[in-house]
């Protein structure tokens, strides 16, 4: 099986990108990160790309630039690098329809809540303010909606008395760093099949 060519999109800290990178570097994932794209020239996570000799491209949306055209520029990069899989690892822009349809079921996002609860921004704050007892994280394929695509994997964490947005986010983040590489591994091993809203995981053993 050929290694999949992965692009990671980040906007900030990049700890999920780092978790995927670590799993690639230990050959846990049958893939290669060929490109990192950011919309934020100051994204701290770019340092992991630099340290690992991974090409990075900063694509800032120009004033008044239509979303469609902004994402056309990003699509051209993905094409140039021959990307098979796009990982949204804390990428804080909603994708436009052109990129979703071009890479249908090849864009994976991590969201810090148990979808369909608390989609959109500040999911951990939404969970704390709502008073739920359980939250978690979701890895899903990206469709035209906001955090509505077919779910690949989910993991729950307890919400404890006295939790703040920050303490809950830290607890969820630990799970994200396990769940996202696991989903990328499944994709890169051709073990995911999408049937409508359902993502089937092939039952070959994985040990990760
Ligand atoms: C993560 O918690 C991720 O789930 C969240 O942003 C954080 C990025 O952290 N993503 C979203 O909220 C997307 N809607 P990281 O840059 O350290 O990976």
């Amino acid at each position: 099986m050929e290694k999949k060519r992965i692009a990671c999109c980040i906007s900030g800290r990049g700890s999920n990108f780092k978790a995927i990178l670590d799993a690639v570097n230990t050959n846990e994932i049958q893939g290669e990160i060929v490109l990192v794209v950011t919309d934020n020239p100051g994204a701290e996570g770019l340092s992991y790309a630099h340290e690992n000799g991974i090409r990075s491209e900063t694509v800032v949306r120009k004033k008044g630039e239509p979303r469609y055209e902004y994402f056309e520029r990003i699509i051209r990069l993905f094409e140039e690098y021959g990307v098979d899989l796009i990982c949204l690892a804390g990428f804080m822009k909603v994708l436009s329809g052109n990129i979703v349809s071009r890479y249908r079921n090849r864009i994976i996002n991590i969201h810090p809540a148990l979808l369909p609860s608390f989609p959109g921004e500040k999911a951990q704050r939404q969970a704390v303010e709502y008073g739920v007892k359980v939250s978690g994280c979701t890895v899903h394929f990206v469709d035209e909606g906001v955090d509505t695509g077919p779910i690949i994997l989910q993991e729950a964490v307890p919400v404890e008395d006295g939790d703040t947005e920050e303490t809950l986010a830290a607890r969820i983040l630990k799970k994200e760093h396990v769940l996202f590489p696991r989903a990328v591994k499944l994709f890169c091993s051709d073990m995911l099949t999408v049937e409508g809203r359902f993502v089937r995981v092939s039952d070959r053993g994985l040990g990760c």
Side-chain angles (χ1 to χ4, degrees):
M1 191 183 303
E2 282 206 3
K3 281 189 173 183
K4 299 279 193 286
R5 296 174 65 78
I6 304 168
C8 289
C9 298
I10 65 171
S11 293
R13 183 176 55 190
S15 69
N16 277 289
F17 158 47
K18 171 74 164 45
I20 296 166
L21 179 59
D22 288 346
V24 165
N25 284 344
T26 55
N27 292 320
E28 196 63 45
I29 290 173
Q30 287 306 300
E32 182 188 357
I33 302 179
V34 294
L35 177 65
V36 174
V37 171
T38 186
D39 57 341
N40 170 17
E44 305 94 298
L46 285 173
S47 62
Y48 304 123
H50 299 153
E51 287 159 12
N52 285 271
I54 298 169
R55 296 287 301 274
S56 63
E57 302 274 359
T58 301
V59 190
V60 176
R61 191 170 167 194
K62 297 175 202 153
K63 213 170 171 212
E65 182 179 30
R67 278 174 69 233
Y68 178 91
E69 284 173 21
Y70 174 71
F71 282 105
E72 275 303 313
R73 292 201 279 137
I74 294 181
I75 289 172
R76 280 200 288 279
L77 283 174
F78 291 154
E79 285 176 345
E80 188 184 316
Y81 283 82
V83 164
D84 301 307
L85 171 68
I86 297 154
C87 296
L88 304 184
F91 186 66
M92 297 305 179
K93 276 197 168 51
V94 175
L95 304 193
S96 56
N98 50 335
I99 189 163
V100 173
S101 57
R102 172 76 176 76
Y103 289 95
R104 172 122 11 236
N105 296 337
R106 292 194 288 150
I107 307 174
I108 297 180
N109 181 48
I110 179 105
H111 183 74
L114 291 178
L115 292 170
S117 292
F118 313 125
E121 290 184 3
K122 306 213 177 298
Q124 305 94 330
R125 183 188 297 177
Q126 293 183 56
V128 168
E129 287 178 353
Y130 199 93
V132 291
K133 303 294 187 194
V134 176
S135 191
C137 50
T138 303
V139 184
H140 65 94
F141 285 112
V142 173
D143 68 4
E144 281 76 2
V146 175
D147 301 323
T148 53
I151 290 170
I152 303 169
L153 297 172
Q154 289 186 301
E155 189 87 29
V157 306
V159 181
E160 288 166 7
D161 288 351
D163 257 340
T164 61
E165 177 182 357
E166 290 74 24
T167 57
L168 178 60
R171 195 174 306 122
I172 293 172
L173 192 64
K174 276 193 193 157
K175 295 280 186 187
E176 292 184 40
H177 294 163
V178 177
L179 209 65
F180 206 172
R182 188 179 291 160
V184 174
K185 173 174 180 159
L186 290 167
F187 181 96
C188 290
S189 305
D190 291 329
M191 292 175 74
L192 299 178
T193 313
V194 186
E195 297 163 16
R197 281 216 53 82
F198 300 95
V199 181
R200 311 287 180 204
V201 181
S202 140
D203 56 8
R204 282 188 280 142
L206 258 189
C208 145

